[in-house]
Amino acid sequence: AQTVTQSQPEMSVQEAETVTLSCTYDTSESNYYLFWYKQPPSRQMILVIRQEAYKQQNATENRFSVNFQKAAKSFSLKISDSQLGDTAMYFCAFMNSGAGSYQLTFGKGTKLSVIP
Amino acid sequence: SQTIHQWPATLVQPVGSPLSLECTVEGTSNPNLYWYRQAAGRGLQLLFYSVGIGQISSEVPQNLSASRPQDRQFILSSKKLLLSDSGFYLCAWDSGPMNTEAFFGQGTRLTVV
């Protein structure tokens, strides 16, 4: 079974600064996807960024980028130029692409607070 | 565009009472549907998933059950709630192979008293 570990329960960052959220995972699969989901106080979970394990290039989405280290099974999220709207719970998630149904395994989450 | 509706937003129920949470998806057909529970400090736990009408897979044996009576309708039920059923329940859908993004509902905060 896959496991996802987020070792930082809470983090804070000054507005306009950069913050990195950590995530490690454990799997015996070679083909999979990794995700970062954001859950703001309004509660609706939304996808921030996704990475395919077979791609060596790190995914980027505007101010969000990942550092994917496949050998180390590490998948950190970097948020640049942090904004107040980035305040949310962030969940790292894993999906095994070999499964018949695409089920996500989530970490426990990191609560990020952006301080004005 | 696709949308997902989940209700109610909050629910307070006594121990031993039944439960029915409903989730519907619009704007797509034959979605994969999921029920997750989010407990404090424990992240999201997959409870049930469904790849088609009447097809339910359970990930965690417990006091809850799920049904999919229609293609875009997913229901989470219990005959008798326990205190430990309290939590935040999220419904989600995705379109399966070739599209890995999941879309989540607004969630239901269930408090069993």
Side-chain angles (χ1 to χ4, degrees):
Chain A
Q2 293 80 23
T3 59
V4 178
T5 302
Q6 292 178 249
S7 58
Q8 305 151 313
E10 292 192 43
M11 294 190 72
S12 61
V13 62
Q14 290 290 136
E15 196 175 4
E17 297 294 310
T18 295
V19 64
T20 299
L21 308 183
S22 302
C23 173
T24 58
Y25 59 94
D26 188 24
T27 183
S28 58
E29 302 295 331
S30 58
N31 215 13
Y32 50 87
Y33 299 90
L34 294 163
F35 306 84
W36 280 98
Y37 277 88
K38 170 184 177 182
Q39 188 180 35
S42 67
R43 288 290 188 174
Q44 191 152 26
M45 188 100 67
I46 55 174
L47 178 67
V48 174
I49 197 165
R50 133 185 58 203
Q51 174 82 42
E52 290 125 333
Y54 66 85
K55 289 186 177 179
Q56 292 188 347
Q57 186 173 7
N58 289 325
T60 63
E61 285 287 343
N62 301 314
R63 299 182 293 108
F64 299 88
S65 62
V66 298
N67 183 4
F68 174 47
Q69 301 289 331
K70 190 172 184 179
K73 295 181 181 176
S74 170
F75 183 60
S76 60
L77 174 70
K78 185 172 82 170
I79 306 174
S80 305
D81 185 25
S82 296
Q83 300 176 1
L84 296 178
D86 296 332
T87 293
M89 282 288 289
Y90 287 82
F91 292 95
C92 180
F94 172 100
M95 176 188 288
N96 180 4
S97 64
S101 179
Y102 290 71
Q103 305 160 52
L104 290 162
T105 300
F106 286 88
K108 290 184 178 181
T110 297
K111 184 178 181 181
L112 176 67
S113 299
V114 180
I115 303 167
Chain B
S1 63
Q2 300 91 357
T3 56
I4 178 169
H5 303 280
Q6 186 183 340
W7 66 93
T10 59
L11 192 59
V12 180
Q13 290 285 99
V15 168
S17 64
L19 172 73
S20 181
L21 302 182
E22 189 163 341
C23 173
T24 59
V25 179
E26 296 177 358
T28 188
S29 59
N30 197 32
N32 291 334
L33 296 170
Y34 307 86
W35 278 110
Y36 290 90
R37 177 166 59 199
Q38 185 176 14
R42 297 181 62 183
L44 279 88
Q45 182 185 39
L46 178 64
L47 301 175
F48 302 94
Y49 69 91
S50 171
V51 298
I53 296 174
Q55 300 178 62
I56 308 296
S57 296
S58 174
E59 289 296 297
V60 181
Q62 56 201 308
N63 186 42
L64 301 169
S65 62
S67 61
R68 186 170 176 174
Q70 300 181 43
D71 180 45
R72 291 167 290 173
Q73 184 184 29
F74 204 27
I75 299 171
L76 182 69
S77 305
S78 173
K79 292 183 179 178
K80 287 185 178 181
L81 284 169
L82 306 172
L83 287 174
S84 57
D85 292 325
S86 294
F88 191 71
Y89 291 83
L90 281 165
C91 180
W93 75 273
D94 64 45
S95 56
M98 307 307 292
N99 189 339
T100 56
E101 181 175 357
F103 299 90
F104 289 81
Q106 293 273 16
T108 297
R109 167 70 61 193
L110 172 65
T111 304
V112 183
V113 296

